Amino acid sequence: MAVPVAALVWYLYGGSHAGALSYGVGVGILSFVSTAVTVSWLLRGTRAWVLAGAGSFVARYGFVAVALGVPAYLESWPALAMLGGFAGVFLAENVVLVPVALKMAGNLGTDYGAGGSAPETEERRVEV
């Protein structure tokens, strides 16, 4: 999705803005991958893996702050395009993953229309 957006930004604003957008997308993708690594480490359950996951969580935010903050501070890239690319990755991540996570957690209910069957109810009769 980033390629057509970068092409449009290149056409409208020039190569430096398109490069900044692509850089922001790259940082966002690396952050997304590190999120997956962090979650996998946290779910392993042993104390060492949980500590490694917690450290990875902190390091990920440090990486993003440095990777986006230094070029913005040095005015190497147009900051708005760079942050826009980064934010676009997180928006796409949330649009794709949040409904899946909610469905896995059971918060969306059961989809009976997709070939599933309604749960059986148990009927108990008591004679008086």
Side-chain angles (χ1 to χ4, degrees), residues 13-128:
Y13 298 104
S16 65
H17 285 79
L21 179 101
S22 299
Y23 177 78
V25 167
V27 170
I29 290 172
L30 286 175
S31 178
F32 174 70
V33 169
S34 72
T35 301
V37 170
T38 299
V39 169
S40 70
W41 286 352
L42 289 172
L43 294 177
R44 293 205 178 183
T46 64
R47 180 174 288 167
W49 283 112
V50 170
L51 289 174
S56 172
F57 186 78
V58 172
R60 184 178 80 229
Y61 284 111
F63 162 73
V64 169
V66 170
L68 295 178
V70 170
Y73 178 76
L74 297 175
E75 298 178 3
S76 303
W77 294 103
L80 187 59
M82 184 175 54
L83 292 173
F86 180 75
V89 170
F90 272 83
L91 176 66
E93 173 188 342
N94 288 324
V95 165
V96 170
L97 293 180
V98 167
V100 173
L102 290 175
K103 192 167 189 173
M104 288 176 65
N107 291 335
L108 291 180
T110 307
D111 187 10
Y112 300 127
S117 61
E120 297 292 327
T121 58
E122 184 176 321
E123 186 176 321
R124 182 176 288 173
R125 294 179 184 226
V126 179
E127 292 185 26
V128 181

